[in-house]
Amino acid sequence: MTKKKTYNKMYFIGMLVVLLAFSCVPTQKAIRDANIEVPEHYQKTTSDTSNVATLRWKDFFTDSKLVALIDTALANNQELHIMLQRIAMANNEVKVRKGEYLPVVNVYAGAEVEKVGEYTRNGAVEQQLDIREGEEFPEPLTDFSVGLNVSWELDVWKKLRNGKKAAVLEYLSTIEGKNFMVTQLVSEIANSYYELLALDNQLQIIEQNLELQNNALDMVKLQKQAARATQLAVKRFEAEVLKNQSNKFEIQQQIVETENKINFLLGRYPQTIDRDASDFIARPIDDIEAGLPAQLLANRPDIKQAEYELEALKLNVKMAKANFYPSIGIKAGIGLQAFNSKYLTSTPESLLYSLVGDVVSPLINRNAIKAAYSNANSRQLQAVFEYEKAILNGYIEVANTLSDIKNLKANYDLKTKQVAAMTEAIDLSIQLFKSARAEYTEVLMTQREALDSKLEIIETKRDQYLANVKIYQALGGGWN
């Protein structure tokens, strides 16, 4: 009767603990009340399903020298190598989480020598007992053991399995993070490369303009000797030549810095960047196929990364919720133990085994578990907002860049006409100045405006290249 009453009492206490655990679990009311829906696609639709983002970057960029630079960067860039190590660590975390819900099996072997004092409890017992009849305890006493022990937490609430799934999603998130970094790296190298080509062309334009200005200076000096111009005109032309020579050195410095920026991205020390800027202005720019707005969800690595992180945090909420429930564990062991190694194989005398099952439920530290669960819910909501922000940002980037491409094309057409008009104006101003029908200031202003218009058209052409790279990046291309 006593044993039965004790058993019923322990059973009642155990059930009470379980009921308390279930009654104190916080609800997900905050998430449901938020009523947040993650959009699967945009409302805008179009019949164009082709998308340049599906092109490999080697197919999108046709300049062989640029392709060689990107290849080098993908092999040597330090930031990319750092990201690859993060991927390796995330993959190892998956293996760790997988091992947590499998039984832990350990093999052990040990040897011990012990000498106890005679005037102690253990010493007194050894003095009064014999191992066998007529055989006293050896002194000192040795102990040899070998065996296996197993411990296993039963994953009743799927806490450990959800942890493994969350680790897998985090691993996939790092993969998308790497893809996003590749997109950024490819785009940054392409942008710097086109900026470098534009600087080369600007330097060439300034050198050509310096030749024209030197010729104009020589002409003004001859005019002064013939008393048809003043020393003021000579000094004004000299100042204009010196100004453009100064601009030449500024552009040369920008070229060096841009080259070294590319070298840094390529993971190498400063050196000249191999390039061909001869057809920069004449090179045609292909039309962009933006595709469906919903394709951003499938192509942009940052959006897919945010999606994986959201899914992982959903599982983290389930894991935090499982902490309120009792955990069930099993421990078992089997082995051989004897005071002399020659008796280890003497069974069943040297055989030992154990089997323990336990149920553990949190009781005192419930506030800490509640706080951890609330934090998990908050992180999940935060991930939802991050996902929505990534989609919104991607759509706005595409919309802005498509508009930029359209306006740059119209701008470039007008700049082309402006350059043609200013080139003719230079010849006309010099002819009028020679025939004393124009002031030297008109020649100076015409040359200055012509130079500005030529530099501006190069910048516009550069912006067209950069806009094409930007739309390729914004659509999610460059990583595959």
Side-chain angles (χ1 to χ4, degrees):
M1 288 295 294
T2 304
K3 291 183 178 180
K4 186 175 181 181
K5 287 182 179 179
T6 304
Y7 173 79
N8 290 338
K9 185 178 180 181
M10 295 299 297
Y11 177 80
F12 176 78
I13 293 175
M15 291 302 297
L16 180 61
V17 170
V18 173
L19 290 174
L20 285 172
F22 275 90
S23 64
C24 294
V25 174
T27 63
Q28 294 188 3
K29 187 175 184 299
I31 296 178
R32 292 197 300 269
D33 290 348
N35 195 26
I36 296 174
E37 297 182 0
V38 178
E40 297 182 357
H41 57 80
Y42 297 101
Q43 299 300 320
K44 181 180 177 181
T45 58
T46 175
S47 59
D48 181 18
T49 58
S50 56
N51 193 323
V52 295
T54 58
L55 293 176
R56 298 171 64 250
W57 61 265
K58 287 188 177 181
D59 298 326
F60 183 79
F61 298 108
T62 57
D63 191 323
S64 60
K65 299 184 184 300
L66 174 58
V67 169
L69 292 174
I70 296 175
D71 266 329
T72 303
L74 295 179
N76 299 332
N77 183 263
Q78 286 85 0
E79 287 292 333
L80 191 56
H81 284 301
I82 293 173
M83 177 57 73
L84 292 176
Q85 295 307 310
R86 292 177 185 169
I87 292 174
M89 289 188 289
N91 188 29
N92 292 332
E93 184 64 21
V94 174
K95 297 177 182 179
V96 171
R97 294 290 184 90
K98 183 178 180 181
E100 286 179 350
Y101 69 83
L102 296 175
V104 178
V105 181
N106 296 316
V107 60
Y108 66 90
E112 180 183 355
V113 178
E114 183 181 18
K115 167 65 174 66
V116 298
E118 292 184 8
Y119 302 112
T120 63
R121 178 183 297 177
N122 291 337
V125 170
E126 289 182 5
Q127 289 293 327
Q128 298 298 322
L129 293 178
D130 292 338
I131 296 175
R132 295 176 182 174
E133 186 176 353
E135 185 177 352
E136 297 180 352
F137 274 88
E139 188 176 351
L141 181 64
T142 58
D143 185 21
F144 299 93
S145 61
V146 61
L148 295 173
N149 56 47
V150 180
S151 62
W152 186 24
E153 180 180 351
L154 301 181
D155 194 20
V156 178
W157 318 114
K158 296 184 178 181
K159 173 184 175 181
L160 302 178
R161 277 172 287 182
N162 285 333
K164 184 251 183 180
K165 292 178 182 177
V168 171
L169 291 170
E170 291 290 349
Y171 168 73
L172 296 175
S173 175
T174 58
I175 293 290
E176 296 302 332
K178 186 268 293 183
N179 294 337
F180 184 68
M181 179 176 288
V182 169
T183 298
Q184 298 290 105
L185 180 61
V186 169
S187 301
E188 193 169 355
I189 292 174
N191 286 338
S192 299
Y193 181 78
Y194 289 130
E195 287 178 0
L196 191 57
L197 297 186
L199 289 171
D200 287 341
N201 278 264
Q202 287 180 344
L203 183 62
Q204 183 180 0
I205 291 297
I206 287 180
E207 289 175 345
Q208 293 174 356
N209 197 67
L210 277 172
E211 184 178 355
L212 291 174
Q213 289 178 340
N214 282 320
N215 292 335
L217 177 59
D218 293 338
M219 179 191 65
V220 171
K221 287 179 179 179
L222 292 174
Q223 293 274 13
K224 179 179 177 294
Q225 292 176 1
R228 295 177 58 187
T230 64
Q231 183 66 15
L232 177 61
V234 173
K235 291 301 180 181
R236 288 289 300 274
F237 274 93
E238 285 180 352
E240 195 69 18
V241 170
L242 294 172
K243 174 187 174 183
N244 283 280
Q245 286 176 339
S246 175
N247 292 339
K248 177 180 176 181
F249 288 111
E250 289 179 1
I251 291 181
Q252 287 176 339
Q253 177 61 26
Q254 292 178 29
I255 289 175
V256 172
E257 292 178 0
T258 306
E259 282 185 323
N260 288 336
K261 180 181 178 181
I262 295 175
N263 284 320
F264 176 77
L265 295 174
L266 269 58
R268 66 188 190 187
Y269 290 98
Q271 55 187 276
T272 302
I273 299 298
D274 185 23
R275 60 192 184 273
D276 182 11
S278 58
D279 61 341
F280 179 76
I281 293 293
R283 189 182 305 175
I285 298 179
D286 297 331
D287 293 333
I288 292 294
E289 296 172 343
L292 293 168
Q295 290 175 328
L296 284 179
L297 297 175
N299 294 331
R300 279 188 65 126
D302 57 332
I303 294 179
K304 291 193 287 185
Q305 182 182 14
E307 182 180 355
Y308 283 129
E309 290 177 352
L310 175 58
E311 293 297 326
L313 288 171
K314 287 181 181 178
L315 293 174
N316 286 342
V317 172
K318 295 181 180 179
M319 292 169 57
K321 183 178 180 180
N323 288 330
F324 290 98
Y325 307 150
S327 61
I328 303 173
I330 298 176
K331 296 179 182 179
I334 187 171
L336 301 170
Q337 186 174 17
F339 68 88
N340 195 318
S341 59
K342 68 180 181 180
Y343 296 136
L344 278 177
T345 56
S346 297
T347 56
E349 290 84 357
S350 61
L351 179 67
L352 62 90
Y353 57 85
S354 65
L355 179 63
V356 179
D358 55 27
V359 178
V360 180
S361 179
L363 185 61
I364 302 300
N365 61 334
R366 305 198 59 78
N367 287 334
I369 298 175
K370 290 179 183 178
Y373 181 66
S374 298
N375 284 340
N377 278 320
S378 297
R379 282 191 289 268
Q380 181 185 2
L381 289 173
Q382 184 181 18
V384 172
F385 294 130
E386 291 287 348
Y387 183 54
E388 290 179 339
K389 186 180 76 171
I391 295 175
L392 180 61
N393 178 63
Y395 183 78
I396 290 176
E397 282 184 0
V398 173
N400 288 344
T401 311
L402 287 175
S403 175
D404 192 28
I405 289 174
K406 178 181 177 182
N407 291 327
L408 282 172
K409 186 178 184 303
N411 188 14
Y412 181 79
D413 292 338
L414 294 175
K415 293 288 185 185
T416 303
K417 296 177 181 179
Q418 180 186 359
V419 169
M422 292 306 302
T423 303
E424 293 181 5
I426 291 176
D427 296 334
L428 290 174
S429 64
I430 293 176
Q431 293 175 7
L432 291 173
F433 180 73
K434 287 180 179 180
S435 59
R437 296 172 60 188
E439 297 291 332
Y440 70 91
T441 54
E442 295 181 77
V443 179
L444 281 174
M445 291 301 298
T446 303
Q447 289 181 343
R448 186 177 299 173
E449 292 171 359
L451 174 61
D452 290 341
S453 65
K454 290 178 181 178
L455 295 178
E456 287 175 1
I457 194 173
I458 292 175
E459 291 176 353
T460 305
K461 188 72 173 184
R462 177 204 62 194
D463 291 342
Q464 284 186 294
Y465 283 114
L466 299 186
N468 264 32
V469 175
K470 179 65 176 178
I471 192 63
Y472 183 59
Q473 174 187 352
L475 291 170
W479 58 268
N480 52 345

